[in-house]
Amino acid sequence: MRKQLGAASSGFKQVTTRVRGWLRRFMPRLAIAAAALIILRLLFGRTWLFGDNFFGNLLGFITFTAVFFTCFYYGIKFLRWLKRRVLWRVRRRLTITYLFVGLTPIVLLLMLGMLSAFGGSNQAMSRIISSQLNATERQALSNVRSLADAFARLPANMDESATQSWIEERATNLSTSPSGCPYMRV
């Protein structure tokens, strides 16, 4: 029984191999003939060649049959190609699954670490900026107080031009000194 099934299956394989070989040789020729018949139908569609007579009906049937079998054959080939491309093999599916299972947590942990590092650095930067602003404010306040004290010690009978030159001299001293107020720079 097994031998009979084996012989029948090998005979079937031989027949299908011959049919496939014949179709590989014949179908490109049929496709060219179908394209030529379609072009003829487009060019001479309303003439005696494709008209309402026996020859026109026969040529129309041959055109339809050639186009149908060409579309059917190449449609099946396209579906086989699409099946190979779309439906993955088990090995590919397992590889993708292992990548998702193994790589996704690593990527997510790295992203979480980066987010926390950015959050911490932003918080540190805001603390640094606020402390620098406070230091600058204290410096400016001490400069203003020392300037106000020095201005209060000036003699009361000083004229306006001398007072103006004294203020300009103090302003240049504050702007050129390394610990001077940056807002006093001219």
Side-chain angles (χ1 to χ4, degrees):
M1 180 78 172
R2 254 188 199 177
K3 288 183 181 182
Q4 290 174 347
L5 286 176
S9 69
S10 69
F12 182 72
K13 286 180 184 178
Q14 288 177 352
V15 169
T16 56
T17 304
R18 285 183 190 159
V19 168
R20 283 184 184 164
W22 180 79
L23 283 174
R24 282 190 195 119
R25 288 188 309 274
F26 178 72
M27 287 311 289
R29 294 178 186 145
L30 182 65
I32 292 172
L37 286 170
I38 287 176
I39 291 172
L40 282 176
R41 181 156 182 103
L42 290 174
L43 292 176
F44 303 109
R46 302 266 182 205
T47 63
W48 65 270
L49 191 60
F50 282 97
D52 198 17
N53 55 19
F54 176 73
F55 185 70
N57 290 336
L58 180 65
L59 201 53
F61 177 73
I62 291 172
T63 303
F64 173 76
T65 307
V67 169
F68 175 76
F69 280 119
T70 301
C71 290
F72 182 74
Y73 176 75
Y74 286 109
I76 288 175
K77 284 186 78 78
F78 175 73
L79 287 176
R80 288 181 66 201
W81 176 83
L82 191 66
K83 182 186 92 167
R84 284 188 204 129
R85 295 290 176 219
V86 172
L87 297 177
W88 301 342
R89 304 222 172 187
V90 173
R91 182 185 73 212
R92 291 182 190 160
R93 284 188 221 158
L94 284 174
T95 303
I96 296 295
T97 304
Y98 289 150
L99 280 175
F100 278 132
V101 167
L103 196 61
T104 303
I106 293 170
V107 170
L108 289 175
L109 284 173
L110 285 174
M111 287 175 56
L112 183 65
M114 287 175 55
L115 283 173
S116 64
F118 284 138
S121 67
N122 285 341
Q123 203 172 26
M125 289 297 283
S126 66
R127 244 184 282 128
I128 290 170
I129 289 173
S130 66
S131 68
Q132 284 182 352
L133 282 175
N134 289 338
T136 304
E137 182 183 356
R138 284 192 304 268
Q139 179 99 25
L141 189 59
S142 70
N143 287 339
V144 166
R145 283 185 182 149
S146 66
L147 194 60
D149 288 342
F151 188 70
R153 285 185 292 222
L154 283 177
N157 59 356
M158 237 176 127
D159 64 344
E160 191 175 312
S161 63
T163 306
Q164 185 66 31
S165 65
W166 182 85
I167 290 174
E168 288 174 3
E169 178 185 329
R170 294 291 179 205
T172 55
N173 285 343
L174 283 176
S175 64
T176 58
S177 70
S179 64
C181 180
Y183 304 113
M184 295 292 289
R185 291 192 177 111
V186 180

